[in-house]
Amino acid sequence: MYFHYDWVAEYLEDAPSLEEMLLILNATGLETERDGDGLEIEHTINRPDAMNHYGVAREIAVKTGRALREPQVFDGDLATLQGWTIHSDDAAMCPQYMGLLVENVKAEASPAWLKQRLEAIDQTSHNFLVDLTNFLLWEFGHPSHAFDADKLAGNEIRVRFATKGETLTTLDGNDHQADGYLCIADAEQPVAFAGVMGGANSEVDENTTRLLLELAAFDPVQVRYTGRDKQIFSDARYRFERGVDRENMDRIIRRFIFLLLQQQPQARVIGLHDMNVAPFQRTQIELRRQRLDLLLGISLPDTQVEDLLGRMDFRPQPMDGGWLLQAPGYKVDVVREVDVVEELIRFAGFDLLTSELPAMGGTSYTEQPLAVGERLCRNMLVGMGLQQAVSFSFVGETAEALFGTGAEPLRLRNPMNINQAVMRRNILPPLLTCVAQNAKRGLRRQQLFEIGHVFQNGTEPHHLAIVLSFDTDRTRWFDSAGQHPFYVIKGYLEALCERLALPLTFKSEVPTWLNPGEALGIYHGDQLIGGMGCLAPKITAFYEFEQPLVVAELSLDFLNQHHLPLPNVAKLSDQPAMRQDMAFVVDQHHAAGAVHQHILDLQPACLEDLELFDVYEGKPLEKGKKSLGFRFHFRHPERTLTSEEVAKVMDSVVESVRNTYGAVIRI
Amino acid sequence: MDLSNWNYEASLAAFDQRLAEVSAENLEALRLEYLGKKNGLCTQLVTALRDAPRELKPKLGKDINLFKKHVEAAFKDRKPAKAAKKAAGLDLTLPGVRPDLGSVHPLTMTLDAMTDYFSRLGYDIADGPEIENNFYNFEALNTPASHPARDDADTFYVEDPSGDLLLRTQTSGTQIRYMETHKPPFRMVAPGKVFRRDDDPTHSPMFHQLEGLVVGEGIHFGHLKGSLEDFARHMFGEKAVIRLRPSYFPFTEPSAEVDVSCVFCESGCRICKNTTWIEILGCGMVDPNVFKAVGYDPEKYTGFAWGIGIERVAMLKYAIPDIRYLYQNDRRFLDQFKVG
Ligand SMILES: [Zn+2]
């Protein structure tokens, strides 16, 4: 909001320079930058008192102790307006409405001084009567409105909610349904949205000679609702929804008369109707010295406290252990003791505060197995060469549906675009969106992982996703000599399980977003918690992936109940190891993992480790056969094994594998 | 060759000396001189032995044979010279065979630096839901429905029958939940994703925050100032100082904005907009209404709270020009965080 320096300075004795003003205002919490010959102030929403030139000057006066120069007002007698009805249906909606009737006025061009004032702050000059209300808004911050009194039916003003079927065309030319909104009405129809904008039907124009000036107070919430629903962003709304100074209304009326008569001495002030169904009363606040010191951690001297309170017009009265205060009308948000404490330190300055670290008892430690587990996962995946990613929690509905389980996703009511319309139930949809975009930029090789919340049935489980995208053509997937990418992703999962001792199992039943036969489901007990491997073809096609890609995605919530096992060190044997290689030729359909597990289940004596070191198909094997090469490591804890002992164990293993799988030993 | 003057011991000593002194490049020549098939000394000795006097032959034959074996063994022991020759054939400038370097996301790096600091000071770390209801995101935080901060323009709402759910605009809801389940004194921080309807080079509809809360008896504004000063030094270096400016937040009173001295300059630069200060966080003393909402006695307990944007700090620290880089997961971007 822009304020002109000269205009602010007009209200101050010994006004500081523009540069000084910048420093003073910033120190009081009004964020101010210099803009030409003025001040650009970014107000926090609690500061309607400083959204006008007088208020900005008052801020400087309080901070620096300078005196204010009060603007001149009409100080003659004011007659009570006769023959007009002014009524508020609900005192809470409109506690006070001042109507001032003036006759023999002219909507002529504004005098030069007024034009200059308004133009200096980028306001357009219309005519003298309208300009005057605008000037008052920028002088004191209380919006007023000028009606052409001849256009108001029945000499009546009624503040009420509009009824069914009532409409209003506002000054900006837009038509609105008024039903249900707080309006100013004459005897027949709404003539303004209360506190938001006047109606075209009662507008001052070049023929206006009788003017009814409105200066009122409205419920800020109602003003906000009207403005929000009708999408009207007016200076009046902006101020009314933050609050106005009820104590200053009488002065504004008199200021209006003063300025009007100065320009148009022939104008006749007929009278003022001050409908005041809920007169303003200052809030009494007790400020306790002990509380003030407790919150600030320092003790401001009595003289400083009283001086500042006095300058702010709190009318401090000493009482036992503190002061009794009357909150001034312009401080609309100061209603409690703590609010006064803020006002005091705001003007006294934060530099006075001490700087200490709190010494506290109590314990803040709570065990957080999920957080610890997640950090371990992250550090380990980074250590294995993956890059941590962060993608959006929301994603396009089409992409998300590909991963869905049929249930409805959680949709946003007001997304910024359709690619951020639903909350993710799986990390992959938004993460793969990034991978696809990067691939189109020529960055095919990506090794990413992400840990974060997903959104399912009102809960937010923590998930882990891994994406390995390779820099080769999909069509040449199997050409290369290396491993099928499936085994690469599986290796990461196996390593993770080993490192964290995760009780996870892998089965061939997979979630729908994976391609059965090239993927595994990840199970925690009987529960499917994720999967790994190649994506379902519909998903590959959706993202237009041309490069091979494998993924994993699983819930990490089981980590909440997971305890990392403590290493429990076994005694190391000094005895020599015996190594024995054995290759079994079996039918292709037998899974290597099954044979491996079968051997382990036999619990061969002194077997320390069993490695599958070779899988071979092709000549000289028969078609339909494969060879599985196992390396057996034997060791006895206390003595050297003899070849005869090992041979005996191997014989029984070979026998069992032969009987179970029809295996033949490959020489 | 005449063997009458040949002496085993002398020849052996002479050979040992020459072998000890020979340079790597002359080693092969020396080997040929002694062991060359046609004209090597050993070959000559064996040839000459045929013409030697009969009575000397047994002794000479034995000596020559021993000499030859010694020479052969000696050259064999010098084999490392051959290995060195092979090593000289390596292009030592070729890159090594190396495992991939992973990288931690810059937002995590930044957040970790913060949470590690607060953990050391005994702060608890709490996680909360990203979808909140009006109570936890607004009402308990002294932000009634009529508050301008509640405008739809800023907040994402979720489609649900109650009309009550939204994407949290701050992690303060986690603090409310924490207060509902914990008794003072305590200190805690709540990191997490937050959402606001905003999208430009410095604003993202999703971003990250860390909020802190300390509640106890006798907690005052000086504690807040001291805590943030110490934190600023941790994050921005020993010389960092802070400045508090009065501000407004619905859930704190008094409230302040905190600027940290610009770490990039001493007299003004582009990043601090020539002010030598950079705005980094908002803070204040917890509003009594917040304590009332969670059933704490505001007469007994006081506390302070603050919130900091992780993106802003990461962007400052790593000179990231566009906030969107942080969520695109472009390898060229992530690769730059293999260091640090
Ligand atoms: Zn700077």
Side-chain angles (χ1 to χ4, degrees):
Chain A
M1 201 175 279
Y2 185 74
F3 301 90
H4 198 258
Y5 170 77
D6 291 343
W7 195 345
V8 175
E10 189 180 292
Y11 305 115
L12 286 165
E13 296 292 349
D14 184 26
S17 70
L18 180 52
E19 288 306 317
E20 283 174 288
M21 273 192 191
L22 283 175
L23 294 175
I24 295 164
L25 293 172
N26 276 305
T28 67
L30 290 172
E31 211 171 315
T32 311
E33 282 182 22
R34 184 183 176 150
D35 183 359
D37 290 327
L39 307 153
E40 183 63 38
I41 301 182
E42 201 178 314
H43 296 86
T44 51
I45 53 179
N46 62 327
R47 297 304 307 278
D49 63 292
M51 292 173 186
N52 57 82
H53 286 80
Y54 180 84
V56 172
R58 177 171 50 203
E59 191 83 351
I60 294 167
V62 173
K63 177 75 181 170
T64 63
R66 283 179 170 80
L68 278 170
R69 242 191 240 155
E70 303 294 345
Q72 276 184 281
V73 296
F74 169 77
D75 55 4
D77 290 335
L78 252 178
T80 301
L81 180 60
Q82 307 292 330
W84 279 72
T85 317
I86 296 181
H87 178 77
S88 166
D89 275 14
D90 182 345
M93 293 298 113
C94 173
Q96 185 172 9
Y97 193 111
M98 299 173 98
L100 176 76
L101 186 68
V102 195
E103 293 184 352
N104 204 26
V105 295
K106 275 188 289 188
E108 61 188 351
S110 289
W113 72 267
L114 182 53
K115 272 190 185 163
Q116 270 170 21
R117 277 280 181 257
L118 293 178
E119 278 161 13
I121 57 167
D122 278 337
Q123 296 288 311
T124 314
S125 171
H126 297 279
N127 60 60
F128 177 60
L129 301 177
V130 170
D131 286 358
L132 211 46
T133 61
N134 202 19
F135 175 85
L136 287 173
L137 179 130
W138 286 99
E139 180 170 56
F140 286 124
H142 194 146
S144 56
H145 185 68
F147 292 105
D148 183 330
D150 289 328
K151 295 180 184 171
L152 296 174
N155 285 1
E156 183 177 330
I157 287 288
R158 195 169 146 209
V159 185
R160 60 168 172 90
F161 286 100
T163 55
K164 201 156 185 197
E166 287 187 315
T167 58
L168 180 67
T169 301
T170 39
L171 283 172
D172 55 12
N174 293 322
D175 297 325
H176 301 279
Q177 294 294 327
D179 181 15
Y181 293 97
L182 191 66
C183 287
I184 316 297
D186 61 11
E188 292 167 0
Q189 58 174 347
V191 293
F193 278 130
V196 177
M197 192 171 275
N201 53 13
S202 52
E203 184 177 7
V204 167
D205 60 32
E206 67 275 14
N207 300 318
T208 300
T209 58
R210 294 174 71 233
L211 175 147
L212 185 85
L213 181 78
E214 163 198 297
L215 188 70
F218 302 110
D219 175 48
V221 178
Q222 282 307 320
V223 170
R224 195 168 115 75
Y225 287 165
T226 309
R228 190 189 62 189
D229 292 359
K230 301 302 174 195
Q231 288 293 294
I232 300 172
F233 303 93
S234 63
D235 286 336
R237 171 195 168 188
Y238 196 78
R239 286 165 179 79
F240 273 122
E241 65 183 14
R242 285 161 177 75
V244 292
D245 178 3
R246 296 273 308 274
E247 284 186 316
N248 199 38
M249 290 169 68
D250 192 53
R251 165 151 78 161
I252 294 171
I253 291 286
R254 288 176 175 277
R255 177 72 167 156
F256 176 83
I257 296 169
F258 174 82
L259 293 171
L260 176 72
L261 293 177
Q262 197 179 47
Q263 181 65 21
Q264 299 185 352
Q266 81 287 357
R268 284 197 310 275
V269 178
I270 305 302
L272 171 74
H273 185 128
D274 183 5
M275 185 228 66
N276 194 351
V277 285
F280 175 79
Q281 297 213 319
R282 286 196 166 203
T283 310
Q284 295 225 1
I285 302 173
E286 285 183 13
L287 174 63
R288 291 165 295 170
R289 160 60 77 181
Q290 166 269 336
R291 193 71 187 168
L292 175 65
D293 294 356
L294 171 66
L295 279 170
L296 297 182
I298 50 168
S299 194
L300 297 174
D302 279 358
T303 48
Q304 189 179 12
V305 172
E306 284 168 10
D307 193 26
L308 283 172
L309 289 172
R311 280 189 224 163
M312 288 187 277
D313 192 23
F314 276 99
R315 301 176 190 163
Q317 294 292 318
M319 59 166 206
D320 192 23
W323 297 268
L324 186 64
L325 313 177
Q326 321 279 332
Y330 75 93
K331 291 208 182 283
V332 290
D333 75 323
V334 178
V335 291
R336 302 168 302 167
E337 181 182 46
V338 68
D339 302 327
V340 179
V341 174
E342 171 167 71
E343 290 300 281
L344 282 171
I345 193 62
R346 190 161 76 77
F347 285 109
F350 289 143
D351 292 345
L352 297 176
L353 297 170
T354 58
S355 187
E356 310 168 36
L357 284 179
M360 291 175 66
T363 170
S364 293
Y365 176 77
T366 41
E367 204 179 345
Q368 292 178 320
L370 179 59
V372 170
E374 279 180 7
R375 199 149 173 167
L376 254 175
C377 280
R378 189 234 297 166
N379 290 345
M380 184 185 176
L381 292 169
V382 169
M384 293 194 297
L386 301 193
Q387 300 191 289
Q388 190 192 11
V390 173
S391 63
F392 282 132
S393 297
F394 27 56
V395 64
E397 181 149 3
T398 319
E400 207 279 340
L402 292 169
F403 293 80
T405 50
E408 288 292 299
L410 197 55
R411 295 184 180 86
L412 288 183
R413 216 162 72 197
N414 53 347
M416 293 191 77
N417 64 62
I418 58 159
N419 295 320
Q420 301 175 349
V422 301
M423 302 308 290
R424 65 183 186 187
R425 282 175 287 189
N426 179 311
I427 295 180
L428 288 173
L431 187 57
L432 288 174
T433 302
C434 294
V435 173
Q437 269 160 10
N438 292 333
K440 284 184 180 134
R441 292 181 185 154
L443 300 159
R444 284 181 169 184
R445 180 167 189 271
Q446 295 218 84
Q447 310 196 50
L448 301 173
F449 76 96
E450 178 173 346
I451 296 171
H453 292 207
V454 299
F455 306 84
Q456 298 172 346
N457 311 319
T459 64
E460 294 184 22
H462 292 208
H463 275 208
L464 162 68
I466 303 177
V467 176
L468 304 176
S469 163
F470 299 87
D471 189 16
T472 51
D473 277 330
R474 207 173 171 78
T475 48
R476 290 174 46 226
W477 189 317
F478 296 103
D479 292 355
S480 62
Q483 285 283 8
H484 187 291
F486 165 77
Y487 296 110
V488 184
I489 192 84
K490 193 183 178 198
Y492 279 103
L493 266 296
E494 285 172 344
L496 209 57
C497 286
E498 181 178 351
R499 173 67 181 83
L500 280 82
L502 301 181
L504 301 182
T505 50
F506 306 142
K507 298 180 192 168
S508 55
E509 291 83 354
V510 298
T512 55
W513 41 272
L514 288 169
N515 197 28
E518 288 189 302
L520 286 172
I522 301 174
Y523 289 78
H524 182 257
D526 292 336
Q527 210 187 346
L528 179 67
I529 61 161
M532 64 168 130
C534 302
L535 287 164
K538 61 176 179 181
I539 293 174
T540 307
F542 173 81
Y543 286 104
E544 299 175 0
F545 288 129
E546 288 169 352
Q547 77 276 29
L549 190 111
V550 281
V551 301
E553 215 270 358
L554 67 152
S555 169
L556 293 179
D557 268 10
F558 66 88
L559 288 173
N560 265 319
Q561 275 81 44
H562 180 67
H563 294 282
L564 294 172
L566 278 177
N568 188 3
V569 176
K571 193 164 182 289
L572 305 179
S573 167
D574 293 334
Q575 301 301 321
M578 291 276 280
R579 200 171 87 179
Q580 187 85 44
D581 289 352
M582 185 67 68
F584 299 101
V585 177
V586 295
D587 287 347
Q588 240 163 14
H589 68 266
H590 289 304
V595 178
H596 194 135
Q597 192 56 46
H598 178 81
I599 298 171
L600 290 179
D601 290 346
L602 295 173
Q603 301 186 336
C606 298
L607 181 69
E608 192 176 65
D609 193 16
L610 179 67
E611 285 176 72
L612 176 66
F613 72 94
D614 178 49
V615 180
Y616 178 76
E617 291 171 32
K619 285 183 177 171
L621 298 180
E622 275 177 60
K623 214 169 175 215
K625 298 280 185 187
K626 66 180 171 189
S627 158
L628 304 174
F630 287 97
R631 180 158 295 164
F632 294 72
H633 297 266
F634 293 98
R635 195 195 304 269
H636 192 281
E638 279 137 24
R639 59 183 172 77
T640 306
L641 286 170
T642 64
S643 342
E644 290 74 26
E645 278 177 296
V646 170
K648 212 173 141 197
V649 174
M650 287 303 297
D651 282 349
S652 69
V653 169
V654 169
E655 176 76 16
S656 177
V657 175
R658 181 184 287 147
N659 289 341
T660 312
Y661 294 98
V664 174
I665 304 308
R666 186 173 169 215
I667 317 288
Chain B
M1 185 176 186
D2 183 4
L3 286 180
S4 54
N5 291 327
W6 189 77
N7 176 288
Y8 170 74
E9 282 77 16
S11 299
L12 207 61
F15 168 75
D16 282 349
Q17 170 124 16
R18 290 193 62 190
L19 186 69
E21 286 167 1
V22 74
S23 66
E25 53 267 34
N26 293 329
L27 185 68
E28 182 61 9
L30 187 68
R31 194 186 67 82
L32 288 173
E33 189 185 325
Y34 277 86
L35 294 173
K37 282 242 158 56
K38 268 191 176 162
N39 299 312
L41 179 63
C42 291
T43 307
Q44 289 181 42
L45 288 170
V46 173
T47 310
L49 185 62
R50 282 185 220 134
D51 305 328
R54 198 182 166 83
E55 67 277 12
L56 293 178
K57 266 190 185 174
K59 164 106 171 63
L60 273 174
K62 204 175 146 207
D63 284 353
I64 288 169
N65 198 29
L66 275 175
F67 177 69
K68 190 180 169 195
K69 278 200 168 135
H70 174 84
V71 172
E72 278 171 351
F75 277 111
K76 212 171 183 178
D77 286 347
R78 279 290 289 258
K79 229 179 182 169
K82 207 177 172 187
K85 192 177 157 198
K86 195 175 173 189
L90 286 183
D91 181 349
L92 300 176
T93 64
L94 285 176
V97 179
R98 45 187 278 192
D100 283 324
L101 271 184
S103 60
V104 177
H105 195 278
L107 291 174
T108 306
M109 286 166 71
T110 309
L111 194 53
D112 276 1
M114 296 181 187
T115 51
D116 287 352
Y117 165 80
F118 286 107
S119 296
R120 284 208 297 276
L121 290 184
Y123 283 63
D124 204 1
I125 299 174
D127 180 47
E130 291 168 21
I131 295 181
E132 274 289 9
N133 61 32
N134 271 306
F135 177 77
Y136 286 106
N137 197 70
F138 290 124
E139 275 148 38
L141 290 153
N142 202 28
T143 316
S146 59
H147 202 282
R150 293 284 288 270
D151 273 338
D152 275 11
D154 302 323
T155 309
F156 285 109
Y157 288 90
V158 168
E159 271 186 12
D160 82 308
S162 71
D164 196 33
L165 297 183
L166 47 86
L167 300 190
R168 64 178 178 191
T169 58
Q170 55 209 2
T171 48
S172 314
T174 304
Q175 303 185 330
I176 298 295
R177 288 169 199 281
Y178 192 91
M179 285 193 273
E180 285 177 340
T181 52
H182 293 74
K183 286 262 158 286
F186 64 77
R187 41 200 131 175
M188 61 87 74
V189 287
K193 289 177 179 161
V194 298
F195 305 85
R196 287 183 203 168
R197 298 188 82 254
D198 237 340
D199 202 354
D200 64 47
T202 54
H203 294 90
S204 165
M206 180 189 90
F207 58 102
H208 296 72
Q209 265 192 350
L210 180 74
E211 297 200 332
L213 176 67
V214 173
V215 180
E217 290 180 49
I219 297 294
H220 59 67
F221 213 143
H223 292 134
L224 169 56
K225 195 176 166 191
S227 298
L228 293 178
E229 226 159 51
D230 199 54
F231 174 50
R233 281 195 293 268
H234 170 78
M235 287 304 293
F236 299 101
E238 201 49 44
K239 280 193 204 156
V241 291
I242 61 166
R243 173 177 84 169
L244 272 62
R245 286 180 289 114
S247 189
Y248 170 81
F249 305 105
F251 36 87
T252 51
E253 187 95 7
S255 305
E257 295 271 5
V258 180
D259 301 331
V260 65
S261 51
C262 182
V263 289
F264 303 99
C265 72
E266 273 173 10
S267 55
C269 68
R270 187 183 54 83
I271 292 158
C272 60
K273 292 180 196 149
N274 282 317
T275 62
T276 74
W277 295 99
I278 297 174
E279 186 179 320
I280 55 157
L281 55 78
C283 68
M285 300 301 291
V286 179
D287 194 289
N289 287 346
V290 175
F291 284 152
K292 281 182 201 155
V294 295
Y296 286 4
D297 178 1
E299 282 294 302
K300 185 171 179 196
Y301 296 114
T302 50
F304 63 78
W306 47 262
I308 188 168
I310 310 302
E311 272 78 356
R312 178 152 173 76
V313 176
M315 289 173 79
L316 282 172
K317 208 167 167 181
Y318 308 123
I320 299 168
D322 188 322
I323 198 168
R324 286 168 284 214
Y325 282 13
L326 291 164
Y327 320 102
Q328 287 166 343
N329 304 307
D330 187 312
R331 200 181 73 221
R332 294 168 297 171
F333 175 72
L334 297 179
D335 279 352
Q336 298 182 54
F337 295 94
K338 287 181 172 178
V339 298

